[in-house]
Amino acid sequence: MTVTPVSPASSETVNSLEVSRLAYAYPDGTQALFGVDLAIGRGERVALLGPNGAGKTTLVMHLNGILTPGHGSVTVGGVPVRKDTLKDIRQRVGLVFQDPDDQLFMPTVRDDVAFGPANAGLRGAELDRVVTGALARVGMLDFAGRPPHHLSFGQRRRVAVATVLAMEPEILVLDEPSSNLDPAARRELAEILRSLDVTVLMVTHDLPYALELCERSLILSGGVIAADGPTRELLADEELLAEHRLELPFGFAIPSL
Ligand SMILES: Nc1ncnc2c1ncn2[C@@H]1O[C@H](COP(=O)(O)OP(=O)(O)OP(=O)(O)O)[C@@H](O)[C@H]1O
Ligand SMILES: [Mg+2]
């Protein structure tokens, strides 16, 4: 009997992200990851917490192939991250860097958002539709003709989010999305993230933001996953937080259900 394999990318049961036994040492010998295992289902929003130096950014840089595992594997929507799948993977993983200036380099906001989809072959009306849609979703359509370096930090962060949304990614990965945002911009970004129908992995030191946006959190500490569970339960566990140098802001109490 012949079994026709279902395309992994189209199957509803495939996880958006699977990381298996991922270990990595930098060229200078610093071992940053010691065997990370995690899986994130389609449509989940998950926070990645952990102290400075825990390996969060190192992990994130494996998700779209900026770094190559020393050991173990990463799979996005069923597609393994490898040299020969990188083009596909870069479309599937929308990585928003902590600093929007690492992401925006074109003369106008429109050009920046069009860059990825144009590279993927979109042209004309179809390209315009995608760019307009992505800018509208982050409330930046009115700024399409402006140079990114004339925008405020919060506005640049929104444009950086639009550049990855325009690629219609399988998973949106954000490194410290709320850092340097004023309270209104922080709340507006939360509303944008909540309105998106996409899997999200969000690295953050902002524990209330994790609680507000992500039902589930992972704690990465010393290069391994130290906890994985409902954000509310993790943040209510004072011993766990102290053990991994995580602290709620002064006066913050976990709201009761
Ligand atoms: N380019 C590099 N070369 C050597 N070691 C590095 C390099 N980048 C990071 N490291 C080391 O790898 C470990 C993990 O760093 P990483 O940047 O992933 O931490 P992080 O969890 O993102 O921390 P933070 O919360 O400060 O952003 C640290 O010990 C760090 O010093
Ligand atoms: Mg980091």
Side-chain angles (χ1 to χ4, degrees):
M1 193 180 78
T2 7
V3 179
T4 314
V6 179
S7 158
S10 66
S11 163
E12 285 299 312
T13 56
V14 167
N15 284 321
S16 280
L17 178 66
E18 283 184 21
V19 175
S20 174
R21 301 182 174 195
L22 177 63
Y24 181 79
Y26 281 98
D28 72 351
T30 307
Q31 182 92 25
L33 300 176
F34 287 85
V36 170
D37 286 293
L38 65 95
I40 297 180
R42 281 234 158 100
E44 271 196 286
R45 274 201 306 267
V46 179
L48 181 61
L49 314 175
N52 292 141
K56 303 179 297 297
T57 297
T58 306
L59 171 58
V60 160
M61 291 202 293
H62 281 84
L63 306 187
N64 75 348
I66 299 173
L67 294 178
T68 306
H71 182 85
S73 64
V74 177
T75 308
V76 179
V79 177
V81 180
R82 284 193 315 242
K83 270 206 181 90
D84 60 317
T85 60
L86 267 197
K87 194 161 185 260
D88 188 5
I89 289 295
R90 299 245 157 112
Q91 185 274 315
R92 286 167 184 268
V93 180
L95 193 51
V96 180
F97 294 104
Q98 174 162 359
D99 186 348
D101 296 339
D102 290 341
Q103 206 139 10
L104 306 175
F105 50 89
M106 298 295 277
T108 68
V109 164
R110 184 187 293 106
D111 294 339
D112 256 321
V113 178
F115 184 83
N119 241 355
L122 289 197
R123 295 287 180 270
E126 179 67 359
L127 182 60
D128 283 345
R129 187 187 62 76
V130 165
V131 171
T132 304
L135 282 172
R137 271 150 95 190
V138 300
M140 288 298 289
L141 198 49
D142 291 348
F143 295 80
R146 301 263 296 265
H149 59 276
H150 286 182
L151 304 179
S152 77
F153 187 92
Q155 291 167 335
R156 275 178 283 151
R157 169 72 47 74
R158 287 175 187 229
V159 174
V161 172
T163 64
V164 303
L165 289 182
M167 297 299 282
E168 295 178 357
E170 161 89 34
I171 180 166
L172 191 58
V173 181
L174 305 117
D175 201 346
E176 281 293 320
S178 65
S179 66
N180 295 315
L181 295 186
D182 68 32
R186 177 179 175 278
R187 178 182 48 74
E188 285 161 7
L189 182 64
E191 282 163 11
I192 293 164
L193 294 177
R194 222 182 277 112
S195 74
L196 300 172
D197 186 21
V198 62
T199 311
V200 171
L201 178 64
M202 181 175 98
V203 175
T204 190
H205 293 292
D206 183 341
L207 302 184
Y209 213 54
L211 182 65
E212 189 185 335
L213 277 171
C214 303
E215 225 168 272
R216 176 181 166 207
S217 289
L218 305 166
I219 297 178
L220 185 69
S221 190
V224 294
I225 299 291
D228 177 353
T231 306
R232 171 175 294 275
E233 284 177 23
L234 265 48
L235 297 191
D237 187 337
E238 288 174 20
E239 241 173 76
L240 179 73
L241 296 188
E243 197 181 334
H244 301 292
R245 294 179 54 80
L246 298 170
E247 290 186 12
L248 291 163
F250 177 75
F252 185 87
I254 305 288
S256 52
L257 281 173

